[in-house]
Amino acid sequence: YLFNKNVVLPLSILLFMTIAFAAFHMFYGYFVEARTKRQMNGLFGQYVPPELVTEMAKDPAKFTMDGQSKNLSVLFSDVRGFTTISEGLDPQNLSDLMNSFLTPLTHVIHEKYGTIDKYMGDAVMALWGAPLEQADHADRAIACALDMQARITKRHQEWQTRYHLPEAITVRIGINTGEVVVGNFGGTSHFDCRPLGDPINTAARLETANR
């Protein structure tokens, strides 16, 4: 348009505008993508392993914390005789033992791409199939349970020697698969992401039955 009007601009201005727009486009894309990843980490980082957060960040529109019906697998694990164990340890040793015990279990759950729902003292609740859908969620939960038992067995002697435990630590595990509702539940000031439904109760009862 300017050329047709016999208006001539210095070449440097056109080059500067081209570079400026390219830089703007690049930085805008970078920061928008980084913001999306931060949002995904904020929503799901405390529940799922980093690998799943990265996968979810590729298509964040698919994931929400609103209540949704999903078919998934739930795992409960608990230490047999934890009350007796805790009574024989001072607070520092009990804290060290719990951290030493829960760390390998957490690693196993993340290795099997599971989501940690919560820790309840010595107990752990984990699930597969949400927030990221997994066709083989039942297989992953069972593989996780077997691996948990194997890793606990490997540490028996170490824990008994270090903390002078009267007997080896053994873990009860219950697993169930079914249709549940998953989402953020709670009050206006505090809420967390959890699954709700009868299959969750069944998994908890199976864990208790394994005494």
Side-chain angles (χ1 to χ4, degrees):
Y1 172 82
L2 294 175
F3 180 81
N4 289 334
K5 296 296 183 180
N6 295 318
V7 177
V8 180
L9 293 176
L11 182 61
S12 59
I13 293 180
L14 297 178
L15 290 176
F16 173 78
M17 289 179 63
T18 302
I19 295 172
F21 279 122
F24 173 79
H25 178 78
M26 181 179 65
F27 282 110
Y28 177 80
Y30 172 79
F31 285 114
V32 167
E33 182 179 353
R35 181 179 62 185
T36 299
K37 289 184 177 180
R38 287 196 301 271
Q39 290 173 341
M40 295 299 293
N41 271 305
L43 285 174
F44 299 102
Q46 60 181 316
Y47 309 118
V48 302
E51 295 83 359
L52 286 188
V53 175
T54 302
E55 184 69 23
M56 293 158 63
K58 296 177 181 178
D59 190 6
K62 291 173 56 178
F63 304 99
T64 175
M65 302 299 272
D66 297 333
Q68 293 180 314
S69 178
K70 287 182 176 288
N71 184 272
L72 49 79
S73 296
V74 183
L75 177 150
F76 284 88
S77 74
D78 196 13
V79 175
R80 182 177 65 86
F82 176 72
T83 301
T84 303
I85 294 174
S86 62
E87 288 174 348
L89 296 175
D90 61 58
Q92 184 59 55
N93 280 332
L94 180 59
S95 176
D96 291 343
L97 174 60
M98 281 297 93
N99 289 332
S100 178
F101 166 77
L102 292 173
T103 296
L105 297 191
T106 300
H107 288 165
V108 174
I109 294 170
H110 283 180
E111 287 170 8
K112 306 303 181 186
Y113 287 88
T115 299
I116 295 176
D117 183 82
K118 63 174 67 69
Y119 300 102
M120 299 163 285
D122 60 307
V124 181
M125 176 183 173
L127 54 92
W128 285 260
L132 190 67
E133 293 187 3
Q134 298 161 318
D136 58 345
H137 53 77
D139 293 336
R140 290 179 183 272
I142 294 171
C144 180
L146 295 173
D147 206 354
M148 279 179 165
Q149 297 285 18
R151 297 199 189 187
I152 293 301
T153 300
K154 287 182 179 180
R155 305 288 294 275
H156 278 170
Q157 190 60 48
E158 174 192 341
W159 288 330
Q160 281 189 279
T161 302
R162 180 185 302 177
Y163 301 104
H164 308 288
L165 302 180
E167 58 184 47
I169 290 179
T170 56
V171 178
R172 303 188 306 261
I173 297 177
I175 301 172
N176 191 36
T177 296
E179 197 79 16
V180 303
V181 176
V182 184
N184 265 338
F185 301 102
T188 56
S189 60
H190 179 77
F191 55 85
D192 61 0
C193 182
R194 67 176 65 181
L196 298 175
D198 192 56
I200 309 299
N201 302 330
T202 302
R205 294 188 186 104
L206 288 171
E207 178 269 309
T208 302
N210 281 328
R211 287 176 177 161

